[in-house]
């Protein structure tokens, strides 16, 4: 069984050693074993668990809830329903984030087109010429 140092795990997950120590302090890594001198020793399964931590964090889940998830995991099958519901909620949050990002991308795409067209024409006036004037009642 391969084992890894905290530095190796930090590099593998593109995190800092400080972040991993913080996760440990917050109780997100109860599964990580230590040598008699207190050095953390990571296994492949620990790295996979940390990937879950990073995934959940990227959805905006608070560390307290991530800790709850790992507590439920340690309870075994009795917490399957809670874990399922947690991930259904996360899925819903990610879908909402994706929809918001899609709208953001549509605006960015429009602005890319706008500026590319203006660059090609040598002036931003190209857009003013093609716009529809809305009459005002005075």
């Amino acid at each position: 069984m391969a084992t890894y140092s905290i530095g190796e795990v930090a590099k593998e997950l593109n995190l800092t050693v400080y972040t991993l120590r913080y996760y440990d302090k917050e109780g997100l890594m109860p599964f990580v074993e230590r040598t008699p001198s207190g050095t953390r020793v990571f296994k492949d399964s620990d790295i996979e668990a940390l990937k879950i931590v990073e995934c959940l964090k990227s959805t905006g889940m608070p560390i307290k809830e991530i800790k709850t998830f790992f507590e439920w995991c340690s309870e075994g099958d009795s917490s399957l329903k809670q874990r399922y519901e947690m991930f259904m909620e996360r899925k819903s949050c990610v879908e909402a984030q994706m929809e918001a990002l899609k709208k953001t991308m549509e605006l960015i795409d429009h602005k890319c087109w706008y500026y590319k067209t203006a660059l090609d024409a040598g002036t931003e006036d190209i857009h003013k010429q093609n716009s529809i004037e809305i009459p005002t009642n005075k």
Side-chain angles (χ1 to χ4, degrees):
M1 174 179 60
T3 59
Y4 309 92
S5 69
I6 194 169
E8 291 169 324
V9 172
K11 186 175 181 181
E12 168 75 19
L13 298 176
N14 198 27
L15 298 171
T16 65
V17 168
Y18 172 81
T19 298
L20 290 173
R21 287 186 179 131
Y22 174 74
Y23 288 174
D24 194 20
K25 183 176 122 293
E26 292 297 314
L28 295 180
M29 302 187 329
F31 42 80
V32 175
E33 296 175 10
R34 290 182 180 252
T35 65
S37 63
T39 304
R40 293 171 190 87
V41 178
F42 294 82
K43 303 180 299 275
D44 289 323
S45 60
D46 300 333
I47 293 172
E48 291 307 310
L50 286 165
K51 287 178 181 176
I52 294 170
V53 170
E54 286 302 292
C55 172
L56 294 173
K57 268 190 68 212
S58 75
T59 71
M61 180 182 271
I63 286 183
K64 182 180 177 185
E65 289 182 37
I66 298 171
K67 184 178 178 183
T68 298
F69 167 73
F70 282 107
E71 288 168 357
W72 287 341
C73 288
S74 68
E75 292 172 8
D77 289 348
S78 65
S79 66
L80 281 172
K81 187 174 191 308
Q82 291 101 315
R83 288 183 273 161
Y84 171 75
E85 289 170 353
M86 176 181 274
F87 273 91
M88 289 303 293
E89 181 184 328
R90 285 296 100 198
K91 181 180 180 196
S92 182
C93 289
V94 170
E95 287 169 345
Q97 290 170 339
M98 289 171 65
E99 191 58 36
L101 283 173
K102 182 180 172 206
K103 287 182 171 131
T104 300
M105 185 57 84
E106 288 170 0
L107 177 65
I108 289 170
D109 282 343
H110 173 75
K111 286 301 188 182
C112 288
W113 166 83
Y114 177 95
Y115 289 114
K116 175 71 171 120
T117 305
L119 279 169
D120 290 347
T123 178
E124 202 171 349
D125 288 343
I126 188 82
H127 295 294
K128 293 177 181 139
Q129 295 167 6
N130 292 332
S131 65
I132 299 170
E133 293 293 323
I134 300 172
T136 57
N137 295 333
K138 290 187 179 181

